[in-house]
Amino acid sequence: MTDLQKLSSSKHFGGKLEKYSHQSSSTNCVMTFNIYLPEAAVNGTKVPVLYCLGGLTSSEENFATKAGAASFAAKYGLALVFPDTSPRNVDVPEAGVASDLGYGAGFYLTATQEPWAKNWNMYDYVAKELPALLDAQFPIDTKRQGITGHSMGGHGALTIFLKNQQNYTSISAFAPILHPTNCAWGQKAFPAYLGDDATTWNNYDTIHLLRRYVSENNLRKDFKALIDQGTGDVFLEKQLFTNEFIQATKDLGIESQFEVRFQDGYDHGYYFISTFVADHIDHHAKALGLTAAQ
Amino acid sequence: MTDLQKLSSSKHFGGKLEKYSHQSSSTNCVMTFNIYLPEAAVNGTKVPVLYCLGGLTSSEENFATKAGAASFAAKYGLALVFPDTSPRNVDVPEAGVASDLGYGAGFYLTATQEPWAKNWNMYDYVAKELPALLDAQFPIDTKRQGITGHSMGGHGALTIFLKNQQNYTSISAFAPILHPTNCAWGQKAFPAYLGDDATTWNNYDTIHLLRRYVSENNLRKDFKALIDQGTGDVFLEKQLFTNEFIQATKDLGIESQFEVRFQDGYDHGYYFISTFVADHIDHHAKALGLTAAQ
């Protein structure tokens, strides 16, 4: 981790928005991320952190520049981390062909198939390597973490949270992909990254994970997830499966742990996310025990 | 104006963020702009408007997606218009060579020199054509207008305001180019667009225009401009000339009409703009007589 390089630093809402790169042991390439450090962190105080995971085709830039989250994070003294969504610039020609496989399409999993296995390990990167790096090199208290994300990043946030429930205090998502084993995006990416045995795909499917953890009695009872979903989102019916998710939580008797809000007329983009990001920061801050400065 | 085409529409803070294209009679090409219509306008009520002019290399996208202004515009029932910063896709090979001349570098002037004279007429576009189009085709009251901008767009906002003081109620700017006849950007662009007679450049220089209007007793007394400038802005000394501007307003006895705020450590980018955009929307709303909904 000694190769961490600061690429830029901009003052932002009293704190700093910084971009870093480093050689990743998970993805075996140079990874870039943005981080928002509120004023207290800039002054050396350890602060809690919210991971903000991006969707298909996005990078570490989109959520940092378009969501408008830092304004509210500043108020609470909360750091924000914006990872990239896949390895970059690796020797995998297939990675640059499609918008839903390869670059910008890491799906927050650990690939087992060629040519992806060496690099496409965004699960390890986000769930393990990045927290360790933050703990070692930033004024961040990784014992107090929340996680959120958009679309593919909402899928990442929910699945990483469920598989590491002890590591995250709070969880939310914007228009998450909730049942990727059943939608076209997942049915393209999962066999490519994980192979043809569809039972391995279930490790990265929110509905399947909920069924597993409830049946094993391993679902925490003390969290409440916030999910916002626009009704004007063209991906709602065929890729996101929000209604199937709600039904699954009812079937499992856990619907009270998921507040799913349908937002009338909003679409899948950042104009939707920015409209509701204040509620999500409030949600995480409350769970993390933070109070707003006046 | 019958060729106005809606390219996209996204619900955003209760209103709509829409993108349009149209054939421009000023620039003789297809121009694209973004517009934020607050909920009242979507419902047909005529609302006031704030023009938000972009800087070098930007388009109609940057201010709309990165500044975070719509949240506050929604609160006041204020429309926002984000024009592009130059003509696009015209038969001028020179336009794509540099980042500070041609595409993305309209400088809000009326070019008189070849190969620019046919298209590079962003002054007419922003000051005349766009207000007429909004008046005819949108629920916007162009009798109640404000104007703001960033860097080259701050130059545009101030010069367009000064030359049309009767048309705008309010004015502000982020890190504006205040004396382009004396900085490298202006000294490259102005001879190319306007020719070698430097007296013609003064028509597009805020300090020169202030001297002219004060000497002619044609400067309105009833406005107060708000200007924010980061002290960490690498362009401050050599391109923006903020201190020279302040001295000029003192020399002219009009310093009380310009509130110039130096913001400690902030740079030239949108992380700076978004930090202070709430103050600018408040400034325009107050001048326009708007009150915030709770």
Side-chain angles (χ1 to χ4, degrees):
Chain A
M1 290 185 193
T2 53
D3 72 322
L4 187 70
Q5 300 213 1
K6 191 189 289 189
L7 304 180
S8 67
S9 176
S10 295
K11 199 165 173 183
H12 190 36
F13 289 105
K16 288 190 174 174
L17 198 308
E18 303 192 322
K19 187 190 289 283
Y20 289 87
S21 71
H22 65 112
Q23 178 69 32
S24 165
S25 57
S26 308
T27 65
N28 294 297
C29 67
V30 173
M31 294 294 292
T32 307
F33 64 89
N34 279 312
I35 184 167
Y36 177 67
L37 296 169
E39 188 172 11
V42 172
N43 293 335
T45 302
K46 284 208 168 201
V47 299
V49 60
L50 175 64
Y51 298 86
C52 303
L53 307 184
L56 282 168
T57 77
S58 76
S59 72
E60 75 281 2
E61 282 292 284
N62 304 62
F63 210 118
T65 60
K66 297 184 175 183
S71 159
F72 307 103
K75 193 176 67 168
Y76 286 113
L78 174 66
L80 305 172
V81 173
F82 310 95
D84 201 352
T85 62
S86 78
R88 300 283 175 184
N89 304 310
V90 293
D91 187 23
V92 178
E94 295 90 333
V97 175
S99 64
D100 52 4
L101 187 70
Y103 294 134
F107 276 93
Y108 306 97
L109 49 70
T110 302
T112 57
Q113 306 297 303
E114 296 309 325
W116 313 105
K118 179 181 175 189
N119 309 109
W120 262 256
N121 299 313
M122 291 299 291
Y123 173 78
D124 294 325
Y125 179 71
V126 172
K128 299 174 189 172
E129 184 175 359
L130 205 43
L133 184 156
L134 296 174
D135 192 52
Q137 307 222 19
F138 287 87
I140 283 182
D141 176 6
T142 55
K143 299 249 182 316
R144 293 186 290 160
Q145 301 189 130
I147 191 165
T148 188
H150 170 230
S151 193
M152 178 183 74
H155 144 77
L158 284 159
T159 54
I160 288 172
F161 170 81
L162 289 172
K163 295 203 268 198
N164 304 274
Q165 294 173 48
Q166 71 287 3
N167 292 351
Y168 300 92
T169 303
S170 54
I171 170 70
S172 78
F174 298 90
I177 304 173
L178 289 161
H179 202 17
T181 58
N182 267 32
C183 79
W185 283 331
Q187 288 176 351
K188 177 177 180 179
F190 284 7
Y193 294 139
L194 301 171
D196 290 334
D197 177 2
T199 61
T200 66
W201 307 357
N202 295 347
N203 289 318
Y204 302 102
D205 182 292
T206 295
I207 290 181
H208 279 289
L209 289 173
L210 284 175
R211 286 181 185 145
R212 177 188 305 171
Y213 292 124
V214 167
S215 76
E216 295 174 351
N217 202 23
N218 277 329
L219 188 73
R220 264 173 52 193
K221 302 281 191 293
D222 63 345
F223 75 86
K224 182 157 187 173
L226 173 62
I227 296 174
D228 273 318
Q229 174 60 54
T231 65
D233 184 332
V234 295
F235 300 117
L236 173 54
E237 297 298 331
K238 302 214 167 154
Q239 300 279 14
L240 307 179
F241 284 79
T242 316
N243 287 310
E244 288 78 357
F245 169 81
I246 292 170
Q247 188 58 52
T249 63
K250 288 179 180 170
D251 294 343
L252 294 167
I254 54 172
E255 69 269 29
S256 65
Q257 289 189 249
F258 295 87
E259 181 178 7
V260 183
R261 309 191 305 186
F262 284 100
Q263 303 291 2
D264 184 49
Y266 286 86
D267 66 20
H268 198 66
Y270 274 89
Y271 293 129
F272 155 63
I273 295 173
S274 55
T275 302
F276 299 104
V277 77
D279 293 349
H280 286 244
I281 301 295
D282 284 347
H283 167 82
H284 289 276
K286 184 178 173 189
L288 289 161
L290 302 172
T291 51
Q294 292 303 317
Chain B
M1 292 188 193
T2 53
D3 72 322
L4 188 69
Q5 299 213 3
K6 190 189 292 190
L7 304 180
S8 68
S9 177
S10 295
K11 198 165 174 183
H12 190 36
F13 289 103
K16 288 189 175 174
L17 197 308
E18 302 191 321
K19 187 190 287 287
Y20 288 88
S21 71
H22 65 112
Q23 177 68 32
S24 165
S25 58
S26 307
T27 65
N28 292 297
C29 68
V30 173
M31 294 295 291
T32 306
F33 64 89
N34 279 312
I35 183 168
Y36 178 67
L37 297 169
E39 187 172 12
V42 172
N43 293 336
T45 301
K46 283 208 170 201
V47 298
V49 61
L50 175 64
Y51 299 85
C52 302
L53 307 185
L56 282 169
T57 77
S58 76
S59 71
E60 76 280 3
E61 282 290 283
N62 305 61
F63 211 119
T65 60
K66 296 184 175 182
S71 160
F72 308 103
K75 192 176 67 169
Y76 286 113
L78 175 66
L80 306 171
V81 173
F82 311 94
D84 201 350
T85 62
S86 78
R88 301 282 175 182
N89 303 311
V90 293
D91 187 21
V92 179
E94 295 89 334
V97 175
S99 63
D100 51 5
L101 187 69
Y103 294 135
F107 276 92
Y108 306 97
L109 49 71
T110 303
T112 57
Q113 305 298 301
E114 296 310 328
W116 313 105
K118 179 181 174 188
N119 310 108
W120 262 255
N121 298 313
M122 290 300 292
Y123 173 79
D124 295 326
Y125 180 70
V126 172
K128 299 174 188 171
E129 184 175 358
L130 205 43
L133 184 156
L134 296 174
D135 191 54
Q137 307 222 18
F138 287 87
I140 283 182
D141 177 4
T142 55
K143 299 251 183 313
R144 293 186 291 161
Q145 300 190 132
I147 191 164
T148 187
H150 170 230
S151 193
M152 179 183 75
H155 145 78
L158 284 159
T159 55
I160 289 172
F161 171 81
L162 289 172
K163 294 202 269 197
N164 302 276
Q165 295 172 48
Q166 72 287 2
N167 292 352
Y168 301 92
T169 302
S170 55
I171 170 70
S172 79
F174 298 89
I177 303 172
L178 289 162
H179 201 18
T181 59
N182 267 32
C183 79
W185 283 330
Q187 289 176 349
K188 176 175 179 178
F190 285 5
Y193 295 139
L194 301 170
D196 292 331
D197 178 1
T199 60
T200 65
W201 308 356
N202 295 346
N203 289 318
Y204 302 102
D205 182 292
T206 295
I207 290 181
H208 279 289
L209 289 172
L210 285 174
R211 287 180 185 145
R212 178 187 305 170
Y213 292 125
V214 168
S215 76
E216 294 173 351
N217 203 23
N218 277 329
L219 188 72
R220 266 174 50 192
K221 302 280 190 293
D222 64 345
F223 74 85
K224 182 156 187 172
L226 173 62
I227 296 175
D228 272 319
Q229 174 61 53
T231 65
D233 185 332
V234 295
F235 301 117
L236 172 55
E237 295 299 331
K238 301 212 167 159
Q239 299 278 14
L240 307 178
F241 284 80
T242 315
N243 288 309
E244 289 78 355
F245 169 81
I246 292 171
Q247 188 57 51
T249 63
K250 288 177 179 170
D251 294 344
L252 294 167
I254 55 172
E255 69 270 28
S256 66
Q257 289 189 250
F258 295 87
E259 181 179 7
V260 183
R261 310 191 304 186
F262 284 101
Q263 303 291 1
D264 184 50
Y266 287 86
D267 66 20
H268 198 65
Y270 274 89
Y271 293 129
F272 155 63
I273 296 173
S274 55
T275 301
F276 299 102
V277 77
D279 292 350
H280 286 246
I281 301 295
D282 283 350
H283 168 83
H284 289 277
K286 185 179 174 188
L288 289 161
L290 302 173
T291 51
Q294 293 304 318

